[in-house]
Amino acid sequence: MSEVKEKKGFVTKVATLIVDKRKGFFLFFILAAIFCVFGMQWTKVNNDITSYLPDSTETKRGLTLMNEQFITYGSANVMIDNVTYETAENIAEQILEIDGVSEAVIDMTDAHYHNGAAMISVTFKGEADDEIAKSAMNKLKELVEPYDTYISSEVGANQADSIAAEMQIVVVIVIVIVVAVLLFTSKTYMEVPVMLITFGMAALLNMGTNFLLGEISFVSNSIAVVLQLALAIDYAIILCNRYTEERVTHDARMAVITALSKAIPEISSSCLTTVSGLVAMMFMQFMLGLDLGIVLIKAIFFSILSVFTLMPGLLMSFSGLIDKTHHRNFVPNITAVGKMDVKTRFVIPPIFVIVLVAAFIFSNQCNYVYDYASGTTYKKNDSQIAEEKIRDNFKVDNLMVMIVPSGDYVSEQRLLMEIAEDPAVNSTQGLANTEAMDGYYLTDALTPRQFAELIDMDVEVISVLYSAYAVSHEDYGKLMGNISDYGVPLIDMFDYVYEQKEAGVITLDDDMTEMLDELNGKLTDAKLQLKTDDYSRLLIKTNLPMEGDETFAKLKEFHEIMYKYYPEDNSFIVGDSTSDLDLSTSFVDDNLMISILSALFVLVILVFTFKSAGLPVLLMAIIEGAIWINFSVPAVENTNIFFLSYLIVSSIQMGANIDYAIVISSRYSELKREMSPKEAIVETLNQAFPTIITSGMILSVAGLLIGFMSSDVAISAVGECLGRGTLISIVLVMCVLPQILLLGDAIIEKTSFTLKKIDRIHHTSGLIHVNGRVRGYVSGIVDAKISGIIHGEVSAQLDSEDAEDLRERIDKSISEFSEDDESILTEDD
């Protein structure tokens, strides 16, 4: 009897190369791991969420300009509880003596002393990141340590380090839970270390290459490793399960090769839906989506790389221990759930439709917030506790900053006066409304006589100075007229007098020199914060909430007033409220885009996976329903939800959780060929339950741990919503999808199609040698890869990659059977 030698396909050749050259791959990963340990130290983390706004937004343009043009000195609100005013005043005096502190303000108003609590407003001599400000903050903390103190400040606050510390705890707990889940669902104990080594390498590769992106957001830096574990652990599980199956009939080497060759297309297909959701997130106008999408897609890539090239070698190396550590199956059958699904197939779908409609309505009524102060977290860090304590005791101003072209002091003064008349404004500050002395403001234009009287100097001397000023500024027209009517802004004349004094042109007495030196220091600080050659900065303190319709409407009014004096394309309002307004505007577009793109990408993948137009729609309804139900919870509870959580979770949940629906649908489609639909759905749940419960529990637990253990509003909201959404998806695919599949069989069949041409049916009988896929009747129904001898009647449709070869073999067998009886093999052969 002749043997037909099976040809190795490309995937099998690649799998063989990976297994046989495993030591080379081990060396590569060792070197890569060493490099990535250093690479992790090179990664820059961006803590400013507003920097990811589109470049066209007012906030982004205004903040960029403000950072380039002005210095913003670090500040702190220091609340000391349970003290007398006299004690608080004494503490403020001691704070002012600290090197690096320029101001420590306290008074008897409710803004600084209320119900036994004192508020000291501290200003430092450097910006928040300057060493002088950090050093002063450390000394300040030492000074107030004996008191019941709450400090709210950006000085010395390192959000990235705080979040990283929290995430380290989360990662440890997640790993413990992952190990417990894997021990419960695995078939051999030694699989677990293999999978953990594989994932650890994938995580290290991803974190160690983040520096190649220039910088990443604090969100990506914090949650990427946990989400990578939750999203990509499936790949390692798939390969392990394949290896266990193949090890029954093959030696370790061939089992790994065969398992890998089968797992490569399966894993590649599985990751497509997850990646598609992440790709949709990258199209957000809010660039944080692009940042997180790139980091997570890179994480998926390194996870697949590790599973495909590292894990096979580990399976080979630990094959002996894997064989020795087999244990009984701990995962129970859920036949009762399957039977219940069958019994309720006419009840659950109508209820689900009603729930779906209600969830859609409620999810669109969520109270989305865009400001960190409006969000809530289960865990709070020291800074959050301090801020809440301060807000509970004192009215904190909502600061808005106007940035306008400089040089027109009159317009600045009129603008500030008009804004100050608004009831929502507590105070305004700019050079134009800052009093210098004796009722004069810094930008008031003084004549020589007025200036001479102000600084107590001879008017003739001052007139000479005014003439020299006119010459230096090429204002020759004033020299031709009456110099006594020449008005010069007070701040400009002070600067000129100081310059002439320093140059030795004029000589002043000691008192005047001391006064001028002190005034120059204050003016220099004021100009650094409020004026440059190109722009002026105007501070507006309001009693408005940080966000909301009232605040956004008032911002519109402020813009209209500002545009009366300055051009629209060169004047800006920045602050937390304008940032929230820009975030809310981009959220509307991003929400629509993500919803459409993620659904479209996943739908296309499902259509080509199942070759059906109806089934993908049913699967999408389940997962989209899970998303709507997920975000109905905060609407029903009337709690705020941070906008970023919806954008990120809706895309990740769609891409990752659809895999659960695919697992159920695929197994059901296969099993119903061999048994009745009711029996098939029961068996489907039994077979799919271990996979779904393993992946789903890891993702949901990881998400919920992030939600409950992170003090960052954005990260906590993402984790909570992702964990809750995954649990909802699991419930729906196990308790709603089966009924829909049973009732929707007719729709699925009628909307099915094939991308291949219909193969003709071959009829023959006897002993035929085949090597390929045969689908049809062979003394019964066969739908499998066949390599061997068929004895019996054959009525088969060719439906495989080897269809052409198989057709030729069967045609040749038929021909030989018809023309030459000797070509037919006997049973003895």
Side-chain angles (χ1 to χ4, degrees), residues 281-549:
M281 188 166 61
M282 292 169 61
F283 283 90
M284 288 167 51
Q285 293 182 63
F286 188 47
M287 301 303 289
L288 188 63
L290 176 65
D291 177 85
L292 184 58
I294 291 175
V295 172
L296 288 180
I297 289 175
K298 186 161 63 71
I300 298 296
F301 167 76
F302 282 121
S303 297
I304 292 176
L305 179 67
S306 298
V307 169
F308 286 170
T309 58
L310 173 63
M311 193 171 182
L314 295 175
L315 289 173
M316 274 290 295
S317 300
F318 294 105
S319 59
L321 291 174
I322 292 174
D323 292 341
K324 294 178 181 179
T325 55
H326 277 277
H327 60 77
R328 67 182 181 86
N329 185 16
F330 298 126
V331 181
N333 285 333
I334 54 171
T335 304
V337 176
K339 290 181 178 180
M340 180 61 68
D341 288 345
V342 172
K343 291 179 180 179
T344 58
R345 65 188 182 280
F346 297 110
V347 178
I348 295 299
I351 295 176
F352 176 68
V353 171
I354 296 173
V355 171
L356 201 64
V357 173
F360 174 77
I361 295 172
F362 279 111
S363 65
N364 283 286
Q365 294 179 351
C366 278
N367 184 28
Y368 296 106
V369 294
Y370 310 91
D371 191 83
Y372 263 50
S374 303
T376 57
T377 58
Y378 293 95
K379 180 181 179 180
K380 301 185 186 303
N381 56 36
D382 292 341
S383 178
Q384 289 170 320
I385 294 173
E387 289 171 1
E388 287 188 4
K389 192 74 173 179
I390 291 172
R391 284 198 300 268
D392 290 342
N393 285 272
F394 298 95
K395 293 180 179 180
V396 180
D397 293 326
N398 179 359
L399 177 64
M400 301 179 186
V401 179
M402 285 186 177
I403 301 175
V404 297
S406 64
D408 188 349
Y409 294 132
V410 174
S411 293
E412 282 186 31
Q413 192 172 51
R414 289 177 179 174
L415 173 58
L416 288 169
M417 289 176 62
E418 188 170 351
I419 291 291
E421 292 175 357
D422 194 296
V425 175
N426 292 335
S427 65
T428 61
Q429 183 182 359
L431 290 180
N433 68 347
T434 299
E435 187 175 353
M437 58 179 65
D438 295 346
Y440 288 114
Y441 294 99
L442 287 174
T443 58
D444 285 348
L446 272 62
T447 63
R449 180 171 295 280
Q450 289 172 321
F451 187 74
E453 293 174 352
L454 180 66
I455 64 174
D456 194 22
M457 288 187 66
D458 185 74
V459 67
E460 298 299 330
V461 175
I462 296 301
S463 295
V464 174
L465 280 174
Y466 266 63
S467 298
Y469 179 90
V471 172
S472 66
H473 288 76
E474 299 181 356
D475 198 356
Y476 301 113
K478 298 298 182 181
L479 295 175
M480 303 301 294
N482 189 352
I483 196 67
S484 62
D485 295 331
Y486 185 22
V488 177
L490 182 57
I491 186 173
D492 295 340
M493 184 51 65
F494 268 129
D495 284 343
Y496 185 72
V497 171
Y498 183 79
E499 290 174 3
Q500 299 305 304
K501 189 265 295 185
E502 289 295 294
V505 176
I506 61 173
T507 303
L508 304 173
D509 59 37
D510 292 342
D511 291 341
M512 182 60 65
T513 299
E514 183 179 353
M515 183 272 289
L516 198 59
D517 288 342
E518 181 180 350
L519 183 59
N520 178 72
K522 293 181 178 179
L523 290 178
T524 300
D525 283 345
K527 287 190 291 185
L528 286 173
Q529 298 179 78
L530 300 175
K531 181 182 178 299
T532 67
D533 293 338
D534 300 316
Y535 289 92
S536 292
R537 180 162 63 170
L538 314 178
L539 309 181
I540 303 169
K541 295 181 179 180
T542 74
N543 52 35
L544 295 167
M546 288 298 176
E547 60 179 306
D549 293 339

Side-chain angles (χ1 to χ4, degrees), residues 628-645:
W628 292 339
I629 295 173
N630 186 17
F631 289 100
S632 295
V633 174
V636 172
E637 295 178 345
N638 195 29
T639 56
N640 295 338
I641 178 170
F642 198 62
F643 79 103
L644 190 60
S645 66

